Amino acid sequence: MYGVLNCDRNQLNPNLRFSWATYYCETGPVPTTPADEQQITAVLTQHQPALAPPDRDRVHAELKALVGWVSGCEVEMLEFMLRVALEHHTLPAPERARREARINAVLTSYFGPETGWTNEQAGVLGGVRRTAVLTPDDLLDNHLRSVCGSKTLQWEEARLKQKPSPLTPEEVQERNDLLRLTLSMSGGQIFLFQGLEGLCHHALPGERTQRRACVKRIMNSSHKIRLWEYVYAVGTAQTTGPTVIRQDALWEALSALDAWMSQPDHDPKTDISTELIQLAITRMQAQQLAAERRAQAVTLAALHRGVNLGAMGRKTLESEAAIEAWILALSANWTPAILRTPTPTPAPATPRQLTVTAGQRPETAQTWRTKRSLEIYKGPVARRRGPAQERVNRAAARQQLQDRALKVRQPVQTRQPTVVDTWTDRDVDQLLRDTLLQSATFYLAEANDLIELARTLGAPEPAIHACTVDAASLATIIKAEASDELQARDMFAQAEQAITDLRRQVTLAEAEARLRGRFDHCLTLALAREPMEHGKAHGGVIAQPLGPKDWGWVQARYHRRWLSGVTRYTTEDGISTALPDDCALALHVTAKSLSGYAFDISVHLWYRQPGKSSAPSTNTEPYPPMNEEDWYDSYIPCAVLHIPHAT
């Protein structure tokens, strides 16, 4: 159902951690104590609306059965788990039945119908079933698969020790052969055998033969050393996910290696086998972080609408607010006077070590201006003009900027604050004007680049003409000394739509599946290596050349797609921090490259619209499309990756 958000207030690197309850039920339930009963009664009594007597009795019985499996934790955590379980057991009956059926489906996929379970299995899996209702939906399947894989391995070990062993002679021989070979490959270390055994036992029963056959083929090949390397890599990879996601990553890498070896035209001199495990681990981490982010969004949305999760719920809301305050406290104090200088370099807010403290790039100041403008606009710069829309209230904006300046240094006060410059209406006008000019420049460049590419690729002329008309209007805004704020924002929204429409009109060239796969491979690895920094307009090279005709399928697949594997970035003030809940990073495919490459894939900072609570995407595919209803692109770059020209 729900989890807990913790803010680690490290002065140099603010961090957010999302955690949730998972139980493997290694031991049986313990008897309920009077203190447990008192806790259950308190939780039920405080529930609003009050439960009818039949429902109260049913839920009381469920909570009492749960307590025996989760006892021994701290009082606050026990309260949290009881309240989460209460939320599940008070769901509408159809919704509650669907969640419980989902849990049962995973258990039966590993162990068959419940009628065939042994007494030991029935007891343990009954506990797993009860405690699984605590796990957030986006993390539920992998939690259950990890438990089932662990139990499968545990119960097979027990069967091996039985005299006589219930295993067939073939099963015993197969296991002994694997043990002998892996010990010889790893210098007598058991970890390789354990890793490959875990790989097989975390698979569904019908898939284990396929995995063993794949392992045998690799073991008998010249690439058998990869088994040791891959098992070690997934075992030491950083992730908060359960064991099964490591096994999934290992299987992805091994099956890709097996497929590569089987290609009749594969070039042994171009050995990609070392990259396959890096790719699988990067994807594993991205998928897990995306699932955690979706679960975090669900938890925070529930808390904001009044769901009572006790003290841990209140701490979660405090953590959500604390990360924003902490980043602000560490921020440099950008005053109007500094912003008016040609190369602004504000002093850091505290005597700490900043990644960037002096000689900052020009776009650093522009990044700061853009962020403040988005806060003043309470949304994107591009917005269609409506009858109720009004020009920004300068007095309110001035006060907003002044209040922000006063909050810098607050939680980490180490010295007397310097005098904070006063913001004037003229300063606000200049701030917003600079942002409008920057936006017009960006949209004009985007439109012109796309028009050029669209003509090369034979896009329909009406779509090109619409973009051309908007480009002329954007050029007028740039040339003007002053422009109507509402009219300019309306023009940006119109241009954004024209650019989107023209992108859709560009014919998609069919690319060979191997080329698409290789590009995805290279892009994923390049993104994993690239540091993300607000205002950064440069980056590495994607090691897969492409031609102009490839732009169509690349932008269709990757434009405005969530980069879920990144959880940290560096702000324009040089602060390395976790992404706040209302921020995300997404890909942006350009029509050309200013650096002489074929085209680029940028990473942009996105913000969630005020009043919304959704995750950046609910889609579970790699690089899922951003939720553009609730989120918007700030057009602040955090990296730019370059795609070489195909020769």
Side-chain angles (χ1 to χ4, degrees):
M1 287 289 285
Y2 304 121
V4 176
L5 192 63
N6 295 293
C7 178
D8 175 15
R9 300 189 185 189
N10 181 294
Q11 183 171 337
L12 296 180
N13 299 297
N15 192 31
L16 277 175
R17 291 178 293 107
F18 184 73
S19 57
W20 59 98
T22 56
Y23 282 87
Y24 278 61
C25 303
E26 301 291 352
T27 59
V30 300
T32 306
T33 66
D36 295 335
E37 280 285 2
Q38 187 176 6
Q39 185 83 290
I40 292 170
T41 301
V43 166
L44 285 170
T45 302
Q46 293 168 17
H47 184 267
Q48 294 296 328
L51 297 174
D55 285 332
R56 184 185 174 93
D57 292 343
R58 173 183 61 80
V59 174
H60 182 277
E62 293 287 357
L63 298 185
K64 186 173 181 179
L66 171 70
V67 163
W69 292 100
V70 302
S71 62
C73 58
E74 296 180 358
V75 172
E76 283 187 354
M77 182 55 71
L78 178 59
E79 179 201 18
F80 171 76
M81 288 189 285
L82 288 173
R83 291 189 182 279
V84 172
L86 176 62
E87 291 301 313
H88 166 79
H89 291 296
T90 54
L91 286 171
E95 188 176 349
R96 186 172 71 249
R98 280 194 296 273
R99 284 197 91 221
E100 293 172 357
R102 180 179 169 188
I103 293 168
N104 289 330
V106 178
L107 298 181
T108 56
S109 68
Y110 277 83
F111 303 111
E114 187 174 354
T115 52
W117 295 353
T118 65
N119 290 337
E120 180 186 9
Q121 287 177 324
V124 171
L125 297 179
V128 171
R129 180 188 287 144
R130 287 195 181 281
T131 55
V133 303
L134 304 172
T135 305
D137 286 353
D138 289 286
L139 304 163
L140 181 57
D141 287 357
N142 282 342
H143 161 63
L144 289 167
R145 291 173 60 223
S146 288
V147 173
C148 290
S150 173
K151 297 303 177 189
T152 299
L153 200 54
Q154 177 186 331
W155 287 332
E156 181 167 302
E157 291 290 335
R159 290 170 68 204
L160 274 170
K161 296 175 182 177
Q162 291 180 20
K163 301 297 181 184
S165 172
L167 298 179
T168 65
E170 291 78 12
E171 288 175 318
V172 174
Q173 184 64 43
E174 185 175 49
R175 186 179 186 278
N176 289 340
D177 287 346
L178 180 63
L179 178 60
R180 176 177 52 80
L181 288 169
T182 53
L183 287 176
S184 66
M185 288 175 58
S186 59
Q189 298 180 40
I190 196 69
F191 89 93
L192 178 58
F193 171 75
Q194 292 172 333
L196 295 176
E197 278 286 275
L199 171 73
C200 295
H201 287 90
H202 280 81
L204 292 172
E207 299 171 354
R208 291 169 193 165
T209 300
Q210 179 189 9
R211 293 195 177 190
R212 289 192 177 99
C214 176
V215 168
K216 282 183 179 179
R217 286 192 295 273
I218 296 172
M219 195 169 284
N220 293 325
S221 76
S222 60
H223 295 283
K224 63 182 179 181
I225 189 62
R226 300 294 178 240
L227 289 170
W228 188 93
E229 293 172 353
Y230 288 10
V231 169
Y232 180 80
V234 296
T236 55
Q238 290 188 343
T239 180
T240 53
T243 303
V244 76
I245 71 168
R246 297 181 188 271
Q247 304 298 351
D248 288 347
L250 178 58
W251 174 237
E252 178 185 332
L254 290 175
S255 56
L257 175 61
D258 188 37
W260 176 72
M261 291 190 309
S262 67
Q263 292 174 5
D265 60 342
H266 90 272
D267 183 2
K269 296 179 183 178
T270 309
D271 189 352
I272 66 168
S273 61
T274 55
E275 295 181 354
L276 295 175
I277 190 62
Q278 300 170 31
L279 181 65
I281 288 172
T282 301
R283 286 173 174 164
M284 169 196 77
Q285 292 166 331
Q287 289 166 1
Q288 177 64 24
L289 291 168
E292 290 178 21
R293 187 70 183 272
R294 291 191 296 269
Q296 177 179 307
V298 169
T299 298
L300 289 171
L303 290 168
H304 285 301
R305 68 172 182 266
V307 171
N308 184 2
L309 297 181
M312 300 299 286
R314 291 189 290 276
K315 286 183 179 179
T316 292
L317 290 175
E318 290 168 4
S319 294
E320 180 192 21
I323 191 73
E324 296 278 9
W326 199 247
I327 294 171
L328 178 57
L330 294 172
S331 298
N333 187 24
W334 292 77
T335 65
I338 292 174
L339 288 170
R340 285 192 291 269
T341 62
T343 54
T345 55
T350 59
R352 58 189 172 81
Q353 292 183 344
L354 279 171
T355 306
V356 181
T357 56
Q360 300 181 17
R361 302 177 314 279
E363 61 264 28
T364 303
Q366 185 57 56
T367 298
W368 191 93
R369 291 188 187 97
T370 300
K371 287 185 177 182
R372 303 295 80 77
S373 298
L374 296 176
E375 291 168 0
I376 291 170
Y377 287 141
K378 295 182 172 61
V381 176
R383 176 164 289 173
R384 294 311 302 257
R385 190 168 188 169
Q389 193 174 354
E390 296 181 353
R391 187 171 176 267
V392 166
N393 183 308
R394 266 40 182 183
R398 192 177 65 236
Q399 189 62 50
Q400 184 176 330
L401 291 164
Q402 194 70 34
D403 290 345
R404 185 185 188 281
L406 293 171
K407 290 176 183 176
V408 172
R409 305 190 186 95
Q410 288 262 314
V412 286
Q413 182 74 47
T414 57
R415 64 187 182 205
Q416 290 299 315
T418 56
V419 176
V420 178
D421 285 9
T422 301
W423 284 83
T424 66
D425 284 359
R426 183 178 178 182
D427 295 325
V428 173
D429 284 337
Q430 188 60 50
L431 175 76
L432 297 179
R433 170 63 185 158
D434 287 344
T435 299
L436 293 176
L437 180 61
Q438 177 70 17
S439 299
T441 303
F442 175 86
Y443 285 122
L444 178 60
E446 181 96 340
N448 285 337
D449 291 347
L450 188 57
I451 289 166
E452 180 183 340
L453 179 68
R455 286 190 170 129
T456 301
L457 298 178
E461 191 56 40
I464 295 176
H465 176 72
C467 215
T468 304
V469 170
D470 287 338
S473 299
L474 292 167
T476 301
I477 292 174
I478 294 171
K479 291 176 183 177
E481 288 294 325
S483 58
D484 181 270
E485 176 187 305
L486 299 182
Q487 183 180 353
R489 296 180 69 190
D490 184 77
M491 183 65 248
F492 298 158
Q494 186 174 318
E496 194 171 69
Q497 185 60 54
I499 289 168
T500 299
D501 291 343
L502 184 52
R503 280 178 176 273
R504 291 171 181 158
Q505 293 295 325
V506 175
T507 303
L508 270 69
E510 286 296 327
E512 181 195 8
R514 192 183 300 186
L515 173 63
R516 293 198 306 270
R518 178 65 184 163
F519 180 79
D520 188 88
H521 177 151
C522 294
L523 171 64
T524 299
L525 293 179
L527 287 166
R529 291 189 289 261
E530 192 67 34
M532 300 295 162
E533 181 180 349
H534 295 184
K536 177 181 170 184
H538 61 274
V541 176
I542 300 168
Q544 176 57 56
L546 295 176
K549 291 184 178 179
D550 293 309
W551 183 87
W553 65 261
V554 171
Q555 77 94 26
R557 174 65 187 89
Y558 298 105
H559 187 62
R560 296 199 156 200
R561 298 299 183 110
W562 182 23
L563 184 56
S564 62
V566 178
T567 59
R568 301 191 67 81
Y569 52 36
T570 301
T571 70
E572 70 277 11
D573 290 323
I575 302 165
S576 174
T577 179
L579 271 74
D581 187 62
D582 62 352
C583 294
L585 299 180
L587 305 181
H588 182 95
V589 180
T590 68
K592 68 184 295 185
S593 173
L594 297 178
S595 304
Y597 290 87
F599 52 96
D600 298 329
I601 294 185
S602 302
V603 178
H604 284 188
L605 175 64
W606 283 57
Y607 288 117
R608 190 165 51 203
Q609 295 274 12
K612 303 294 184 179
S613 60
S614 65
S617 179
T618 56
N619 194 306
T620 58
E621 67 176 288
Y623 301 114
M626 285 294 294
N627 174 1
E628 296 188 48
E629 291 293 320
D630 294 356
W631 292 74
Y632 67 92
D633 190 350
S634 73
Y635 295 102
I636 294 173
C638 297
V640 178
L641 299 180
H642 309 294
I643 302 169
H645 290 278
T647 55

